[in-house]
């Protein structure tokens, strides 16, 4: 029987920051939720854009072209190849969409391991 995915419920299942959790897939892409707080490392993705949608809280996407502040219900897509880092002064919750298997730092050696929940 088909079931809706409750993102708020999925977010209650973990407390770690900067560790994306896969909740579904779509045309070869992972749909993930993540909790963030503090600064992530500067990185880029040579082969893919980077999609961020804020569910709760506020984040700032710092880029080499300037910064973008996102509040709940707002999204931003970082174009491929642009160095960036998300920053959250307080804990924020995000929805991310990335090609399946793409490392969240753009580099397998430094990426968080993604797990399904």
């Amino acid at each position: 029987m088909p079931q809706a995915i409750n993102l708020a419920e999925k977010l209650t299942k973990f407390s770690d920051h900067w560790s994306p959790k896969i909740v579904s897939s779509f045309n070869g892409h992972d749909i993930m939720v993540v909790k963030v707080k503090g600064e992530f490392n500067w990185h880029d993705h040579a082969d893919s854009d980077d999609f961020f949608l804020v569910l709760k809280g506020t984040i700032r996407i710092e880029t080499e072209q300037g910064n973008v502040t996102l509040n709940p219900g707002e999204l931003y897509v970082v174009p491929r190849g642009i160095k960036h880092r998300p920053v959250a002064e307080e804990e924020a919750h995000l929805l991310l969409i990335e090609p399946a298997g793409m490392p969240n730092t753009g580099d397998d050696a430094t990426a968080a391991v993604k797990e399904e929940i």
Side-chain angles (χ1 to χ4, degrees), residues 43-86:
H43 67 283
D44 64 8
H45 303 273
D47 299 321
S48 178
D49 300 332
D50 210 356
F51 175 97
F52 297 87
L53 170 66
V54 176
L55 302 171
K56 177 182 174 184
T58 300
I59 68 163
R60 181 177 63 255
I61 306 291
E62 296 179 349
T63 79
E64 57 190 359
Q65 299 176 330
N67 300 338
V68 178
T69 298
L70 302 174
N71 295 298
E74 295 181 325
L75 69 85
Y76 182 69
V77 177
V78 179
R80 71 189 65 198
I82 300 296
K83 287 199 178 292
H84 62 283
R85 73 171 178 174

Side-chain angles (χ1 to χ4, degrees), residues 5 21-32 47-51 77 80 95-102 114 116:
I5 297 168
K21 310 298 183 200
I22 301 168
V23 298
S24 189
S25 61
F26 174 77
N27 291 333
H29 288 71
D30 291 330
I31 299 174
M32 299 168 287
D47 299 321
S48 178
D49 300 332
D50 210 356
F51 175 97
V77 177
R80 71 189 65 198
L95 178 81
L96 307 175
I97 302 174
E98 297 177 346
M102 184 178 83
K114 298 176 193 175
E116 290 188 41

Side-chain angles (χ1 to χ4, degrees), residues 18-20 40-41 45 101-114:
W18 306 109
S19 182
F40 198 60
N41 58 318
H45 303 273
M102 184 178 83
N104 65 337
T105 60
D107 179 1
D108 286 325
T110 59
V113 175
K114 298 176 193 175

